[in-house]
Amino acid sequence: MAWLLICWHITILLIILGMGHAAEKESSMLGATAKGTVILGGIFAVHEDVEKENRTFAPHLHPCIRLQARGLVRMLAMINAVEKVNRSPLLADVNVTLGYHILDSCADVSTALRATAHFIERSHCLGTTSCGPPVLAVVGASHSEGSIAIARQLTLEMIPQISYSSTAVTLSDKRRFPAFMRTIPNDRHQTAAMVSLLSTYGWTWVGVVITDGNYGQSALENFVSQASKNGICVAFKSIIPQAVGSQDVRSAITQTARTIFENPEAQVIVSFAKPTLMVYLYQELKNQMLRGGRDRKSMRRVWVASDSWSSSSSVKENIHLEDMGHVLGFTFKSGDLSSFNEYLSRLEAAGHDDTGDNVFLQEFYTQLNASEGYGDTELVSKAVETLREHTHAGTIFSVEMAVSAIAQALVSVCRNRDCRTPGTVQPWELLKAMWMEEFKLRDKRFKFDSSGDINLGYDVTMWRSDGENIHIQDIVAEYHPHNNSFTHSNHSTTQQLNALKHIISKCSKSCIPGKSKKTTKGPHTCCYECAICSANYYSNDTDMAQCLSCDPDTEWSPEGSSSCLPKDRLFFSWQDPFAMVLLTFSALGVVLNLLVSALFLHQRDTPVVKAAGGPLSQVILFSLVISDISAMLFVGRPNSLQCKARQVLFGVSFTLCVSCILVKTLHILLAFQFNPELHEVLRGLYKPYIIVAICVSLQAATCICWLVLKSPYNHIVNNPTTLLEDCHEGSYLAFGVMLGYIAVLAFVCFICAFKGRKLPHLYNEAKFITFSMLLYLISWLLFVPVYITTSGVYLPAVEMVVILISNYGILCCHFFPKCYIIIFKKEQNTNTAFRKKLYEYSNKTTDVVSVSVVTNCREGVTCPSLHRGSITRHCRERSNSI
């Protein structure tokens, strides 16, 4: 035992002497160094804190306290990454090697600034033998507070800085930190992942614990912002100071534990605290549980751990999951640890005397030996074992990426120049190369984004216990930031995660279907009462923020309903018996019009067909076919095209029909007008096709304006439990103008036809035109009040009936009598019979005229001579005209 004490004192003395020598060389700052053509700086929190007892006003370096294996592992990861790059052919191609100068920030901002100042001083004393090559890039720091302070200094010289674990969002602001980069995502992505996890399990009432500082405050701000957007409320916020040993920390931890017990509804706590503080908080929770006589269940929570302690061995070794509850941790994406494990194996084989210029490793060996008194072999084995326990794949991978990015950027810069001379490469050139180019690590390519970050997502781990020890379980899920989603690793982990769904973390009891949450007075929207859904609203799930509206076009619901009932749709259906009757008449009308058209086409050279209008009769029949088809569009479920087409088709087609009838009426008047002066006027005005074109064009213009400005459309009339589907005419003014225009043409036809009603009986169309137009006018006059006062399913049938009456009126009055003569009175369908009747009509007309003239002569009025030859000439003209 005495021998061991002697060895221990000798070792301590050697270390102190070595530290004194290092302090003399390196301004009293502890570090690890290696020579190289290009020097990389490294800043790692190897110690946990500094001794801040201020005994003097003079500036001095605070001694670091409590070496932590976690920080030492990160530092060794950088050393291994540098050695690995030097062994690769990458740097050999440009004939350079990497060296390093690693300093300890001791998790203290002031100490980190001293280290940064030392790196900058090396750049300023270029050319002297005492400084060596300048530091071209810095890897670090560990904590965001230190990285922010370091970045402000390095930005002045534009020395690139790559952090492996600083996640504060503010560091992504390239206007403030243009030289800062990192191989991990910022906290905005981590908090988004946490919020997504909470939403997945329906945890809406959570507590938040942070360590005060840039990292904790930034994480808290982003978490609260994203949580509120997703309906998650923060039950309490506990902020613990950073200084582990201060009285303020003990008071804050006591208050935090008390707050946790006072909020039993918040069964989930999100923690961004440091590992040491989490251990202290666990111990305080356990103490208060025992002092208050509470059971173990009252202490258990679901802890959502940030990257700061999710893989911490110190926390794992000092808590019991039976008391703590469940721990879900977010860690950075991990890589292959084989290279680092080989490095630790080489370290173990070298022994504790072979520590090189690494005072941290020397101190670590001394610390282990002082506590247990190991032999040389046992000491190294225990040291490596401890280092392996504190090895976290995600952080090791991040450090390796940082070194690889710097090395490959250096190769890119040095490809066309000799970089062995100090000062040949400027830091900002290296920074530009890292921004512009990709780098490769283990056959994968990576590139910094516009914020200087590399966002690979997160792994979610779940802690488990075997009764004695806590194990950080393999990855149970992966978070993908591009679509804010999780994927489970395998079926067994899915079952374990599903077990968490039974945990409830809500401020109020769930509202059953048929009710919705009604926020009560207070700062939180997650605390609410349950309100019954009103009529036509429903909720089909628990804890719905509001009742959902039933689709007013298709559904309805009674009060307090959990679902909607479909509304019965009503429209003039094809299956309706009345619709079938009207469709039958429409189809029959189409067939009859086509048959009459075929008959007239076959008999086109006969007097009856010519007297019926010849080619115009075919136009009339065609327009009647279109009109009958338009009537069919009033049946069935309305759609937009159908609503627009049915009125326009009827309006234009029936206008064409009435226009042709008007031309026929004028033709008849012209043929039998014996007044020579009026006859010449009518002959000059009579242009059949121009008249038809003008009449139809005016109606077409009306319909186009209607369709463009305010066209008909299908709409739904909402009734309490039914839906009436119908066509709305868009503009009833345009609808009235269209029908009124047809009515004016029909009225003109009626007047003209009425004047020619006494023409030859067999060929007198004026009577039939008069009757058909009168029938049209009466039916549409009756339509107007009926249409205005009628509503419901059969409103389209009203117009359909009137259209069919109009169509059949024209067909029966204009064409059926001609068909009867053509088929059954063929002897009357000859030119001879036609002239005979016309001659008789002319003689009768002449006699009437003669009697009138004779009477006037007897009264002493001068009378012109009457010649029968003149009458005969007029008859021939009528015959040819007709």
Side-chain angles (χ1 to χ4, degrees):
M1 186 67 183
W3 179 81
L4 289 174
L5 289 174
I6 293 172
C7 290
W8 180 73
H9 283 295
I10 293 174
T11 304
I12 291 295
L13 179 62
L14 291 173
I15 291 174
I16 292 172
L17 291 174
M19 289 172 60
H21 182 64
E24 190 176 11
K25 291 173 59 180
E26 303 296 347
S27 302
S28 301
M29 293 201 70
L30 300 179
T33 61
K35 294 181 180 180
T37 308
V38 175
I39 300 299
L40 302 185
I43 299 179
F44 293 84
V46 181
H47 288 81
E48 188 178 14
D49 205 348
V50 294
E51 182 60 57
K52 292 186 178 180
E53 290 186 9
N54 191 8
R55 297 188 178 92
T56 177
F57 290 100
H60 63 283
L61 183 66
H62 294 282
C64 299
I65 57 176
R66 293 192 299 274
L67 184 143
Q68 52 181 359
R70 182 184 186 185
L72 183 60
V73 167
R74 293 175 175 179
M75 182 205 67
L76 294 176
M78 177 179 172
I79 295 174
N80 174 59
V82 171
E83 293 178 356
K84 183 180 177 182
V85 169
N86 285 333
R87 290 194 302 269
S88 71
L90 179 67
L91 296 180
D93 294 339
V94 292
N95 198 23
V96 296
T97 58
L98 288 181
Y100 56 81
H101 188 176
I102 302 174
L103 298 176
D104 186 5
S105 70
C106 306
D108 177 64
V109 175
S110 298
T111 306
L113 288 175
R114 288 180 182 273
T116 309
H118 176 75
F119 292 151
I120 294 176
E121 286 174 7
R122 290 188 57 144
S123 301
H124 290 169
C125 65
L126 184 64
T128 63
T129 56
S130 60
C131 291
V135 173
L136 291 184
V138 175
V139 177
S142 304
H143 303 109
S144 295
E145 293 79 17
S147 288
I148 290 173
I150 292 169
R152 295 186 190 279
Q153 276 193 293
L154 294 180
T155 296
L156 299 177
E157 306 290 334
M158 290 305 287
I159 298 175
Q161 173 191 0
I162 303 182
S163 176
Y164 46 86
S165 64
S166 298
T167 57
V169 177
T170 187
L171 287 167
S172 294
D173 186 352
K174 295 300 105 178
R175 294 173 299 178
R176 299 169 60 193
F177 307 103
F180 178 83
M181 309 171 88
R182 53 186 160 196
T183 53
I184 53 174
N186 65 46
D187 275 331
R188 184 180 290 113
H189 301 290
Q190 180 172 218
T191 54
M194 289 177 170
V195 169
S196 180
L197 178 70
L198 298 176
S199 299
T200 300
Y201 290 101
W203 297 328
T204 59
W205 189 243
V206 300
V208 180
V209 177
I210 68 167
T211 299
D212 196 12
N214 294 101
Y215 167 74
Q217 293 290 351
S218 175
L220 176 62
E221 179 183 353
N222 282 279
F223 176 80
V224 172
S225 174
Q226 296 178 14
S228 63
K229 293 177 182 177
N230 288 269
I232 298 171
C233 300
V234 176
F236 60 86
K237 307 170 191 175
S238 293
I239 302 175
I240 304 174
Q242 294 189 67
V244 176
S246 70
Q247 185 62 38
D248 292 338
V249 169
R250 298 188 188 95
S251 175
I253 288 177
T254 300
Q255 182 58 44
T256 299
R258 187 179 298 115
T259 302
I260 291 173
F261 281 118
E262 290 172 354
N263 289 270
E265 296 86 4
Q267 287 293 305
V268 177
I269 300 175
V270 179
S271 174
F272 297 93
K274 287 184 177 181
T276 305
L277 297 179
M278 282 304 302
V279 174
Y280 291 169
L281 178 58
Y282 164 76
Q283 293 170 349
E284 180 62 26
L285 284 169
K286 192 169 184 178
N287 291 336
Q288 290 190 17
M289 177 190 70
L290 296 174
R291 288 197 303 267
R294 301 182 178 94
D295 60 2
R296 181 180 291 181
K297 186 178 179 181
S298 65
M299 178 178 164
R300 292 173 186 161
R301 297 292 187 273
V302 175
W303 294 85
V304 179
S306 70
D307 61 272
S308 62
W309 67 279
S310 58
S311 55
S312 172
S313 298
S314 62
V315 178
K316 181 181 66 174
E317 292 168 357
N318 290 281
I319 69 169
H320 293 90
L321 280 183
E322 292 79 4
D323 300 326
M324 192 79 167
H326 301 277
V327 177
L328 288 173
F330 283 82
T331 61
F332 303 126
K333 284 289 184 179
S334 58
D336 186 6
L337 284 176
S338 58
S339 174
F340 186 69
N341 286 330
E342 291 173 3
Y343 173 78
L344 292 180
S345 298
R346 292 195 301 271
L347 205 63
E348 183 177 6
H352 76 281
D353 293 329
D354 189 13
T355 56
D357 291 330
N358 192 334
V359 296
F360 306 117
L361 198 57
Q362 297 169 9
E363 182 182 354
F364 181 61
Y365 287 147
T366 303
Q367 181 176 295
L368 282 178
N369 196 39
S371 60
E372 297 292 342
Y374 295 106
D376 290 350
T377 304
E378 292 178 347
L379 175 62
V380 176
S381 298
K382 180 60 179 178
V384 171
E385 180 185 349
T386 303
L387 292 174
R388 291 186 193 277
E389 290 176 356
H390 289 80
T391 298
H392 308 303
T395 307
I396 301 299
F397 182 57
S398 297
V399 173
E400 290 178 349
M401 279 200 295
V403 175
S404 296
I406 296 170
Q408 293 179 45
L410 180 65
V411 171
S412 175
V413 173
C414 296
R415 192 167 283 123
N416 299 318
R417 71 178 78 172
D418 184 6
C419 295
R420 289 174 295 178
T421 303
T424 306
V425 181
Q426 297 300 325
W428 54 87
E429 295 179 295
L430 203 60
L431 176 64
K432 180 180 179 181
M434 284 191 287
W435 270 102
M436 302 298 294
E437 299 179 11
E438 294 181 341
F439 66 93
K440 188 176 181 181
L441 179 62
R442 297 194 184 95
D443 300 325
K444 291 185 179 180
R445 292 192 172 274
F446 305 93
K447 192 175 189 304
F448 294 98
D449 61 21
S450 59
S451 299
D453 304 337
I454 294 179
N455 186 3
L456 302 180
Y458 295 89
D459 291 332
V460 181
T461 59
M462 189 172 184
W463 291 17
R464 60 183 175 86
S465 174
D466 57 7
E468 295 182 0
N469 300 314
I470 294 177
H471 304 277
I472 299 176
Q473 188 171 313
D474 294 335
I475 299 167
V476 295
E478 296 181 12
Y479 174 73
H480 308 284
H482 61 279
N483 58 4
N484 193 28
S485 65
F486 290 91
T487 56
H488 294 169
S489 299
N490 52 57
H491 180 67
S492 61
T493 58
T494 301
Q495 290 180 328
Q496 293 169 1
L497 289 173
N498 286 338
L500 298 176
K501 291 184 177 180
H502 300 293
I503 295 172
I504 299 173
S505 187
K506 295 181 178 181
C507 178
S508 303
K509 292 183 178 179
S510 297
C511 294
I512 62 173
K515 296 182 178 180
S516 65
K517 297 189 293 186
K518 180 181 179 182
T519 305
T520 57
K521 293 182 180 180
H524 299 294
T525 59
C526 297
C527 301
Y528 50 81
E529 297 174 350
C530 296
I532 298 176
C533 296
S534 58
N536 294 322
Y537 287 85
Y538 74 99
S539 64
N540 59 359
D541 201 356
T542 57
D543 288 336
M544 295 191 67
Q546 59 184 5
C547 294
L548 304 177
S549 174
C550 294
D551 185 352
D553 295 333
T554 58
E555 299 169 331
W556 72 283
S557 68
E559 187 180 82
S561 179
S562 61
S563 63
C564 291
L565 301 175
K567 285 187 176 181
D568 293 331
R569 288 184 171 269
L570 304 178
F571 55 89
F572 196 37
S573 172
W574 296 88
Q575 288 77 31
D576 190 287
F578 188 34
M580 292 180 181
V581 172
L582 296 179
L583 287 171
T584 301
F585 277 103
S586 297
L588 180 62
V590 173
V591 172
L592 290 175
N593 282 304
L594 293 176
L595 290 176
V596 172
S597 176
L599 179 63
F600 272 46
L601 190 63
H602 182 262
Q603 299 289 328
R604 61 185 175 276
D605 295 327
T606 61
V608 170
V609 174
K610 290 181 178 180
L616 287 178
S617 64
Q618 294 293 335
V619 177
I620 294 173
L621 289 168
F622 170 76
S623 65
L624 291 177
V625 170
I626 301 301
S627 184
D628 284 329
I629 292 174
S630 72
M632 296 180 185
L633 297 179
F634 286 84
V635 181
R637 175 171 290 174
N639 57 61
S640 179
L641 180 61
Q642 179 182 344
C643 292
K644 291 177 174 63
R646 66 182 192 177
Q647 298 291 7
V648 173
L649 279 179
F650 168 70
V652 174
S653 63
F654 209 78
T655 299
L656 178 62
C657 176
V658 176
S659 300
C660 292
I661 294 173
L662 177 61
V663 168
K664 286 179 60 178
T665 306
L666 295 175
H667 192 186
I668 294 170
L669 288 177
L670 178 64
F672 291 95
Q673 181 55 251
F674 290 98
N675 187 329
E677 295 179 359
L678 186 57
H679 183 274
E680 290 304 321
V681 173
L682 291 175
R683 181 178 292 277
L685 294 175
Y686 183 68
K687 304 294 182 183
Y689 296 105
I690 293 178
I691 293 173
V692 171
I694 291 174
C695 293
V696 174
S697 297
L698 291 175
Q699 185 68 291
T702 301
C703 293
I704 289 172
C705 292
W706 184 10
L707 292 177
V708 171
L709 298 178
K710 207 169 183 181
S711 63
Y713 57 90
N714 59 309
H715 77 132
I716 297 176
V717 179
N718 275 306
N719 296 318
T721 58
T722 61
L723 294 172
L724 177 61
E725 297 187 51
D726 198 3
C727 286
H728 191 282
E729 303 305 341
S731 172
Y732 285 99
L733 176 62
F735 182 44
V737 169
M738 183 195 77
L739 295 180
Y741 179 74
I742 300 174
V744 169
L745 292 179
F747 185 72
V748 173
C749 290
F750 172 76
I751 296 300
C752 294
F754 184 78
K755 294 188 68 175
R757 66 190 182 280
K758 296 181 181 180
L759 296 180
H761 177 69
L762 291 177
Y763 307 100
N764 182 9
E765 288 200 65
K767 293 180 180 179
F768 297 117
I769 292 174
T770 302
F771 182 76
S772 63
M773 293 300 101
L774 185 61
L775 181 63
Y776 170 82
L777 291 172
I778 293 173
S779 61
W780 282 96
L781 284 174
L782 292 174
F783 162 78
V784 173
V786 174
Y787 186 82
I788 293 174
T789 57
T790 302
S791 62
V793 176
Y794 293 104
L795 181 61
V798 175
E799 187 171 355
M800 190 176 179
V801 168
V802 178
I803 291 174
L804 291 177
I805 290 174
S806 304
N807 292 347
Y808 273 98
I810 293 174
L811 182 63
C812 294
C813 294
H814 285 252
F815 295 100
F816 281 0
K818 307 299 184 294
C819 294
Y820 176 77
I821 293 174
I822 292 171
I823 297 173
F824 299 107
K825 299 288 184 178
K826 294 181 180 180
E827 68 279 3
Q828 296 180 9
N829 190 19
T830 62
N831 291 332
T832 303
F834 182 81
R835 288 194 179 96
K836 180 181 177 181
K837 290 294 182 182
L838 206 61
Y839 182 76
E840 291 175 355
Y841 174 78
S842 297
N843 285 337
K844 180 180 177 181
T845 305
T846 302
D847 291 341
V848 172
V849 172
S850 298
V851 170
S852 175
V853 170
V854 170
T855 303
N856 290 336
C857 290
R858 286 175 180 175
E859 292 176 355
V861 179
T862 304
C863 302
S865 300
L866 298 175
H867 303 283
R868 185 168 294 277
S870 175
I871 298 300
T872 304
R873 177 171 55 81
H874 282 294
C875 289
R876 290 196 186 99
E877 289 179 0
R878 274 46 167 191
S879 175
N880 293 334
S881 177
I882 296 175

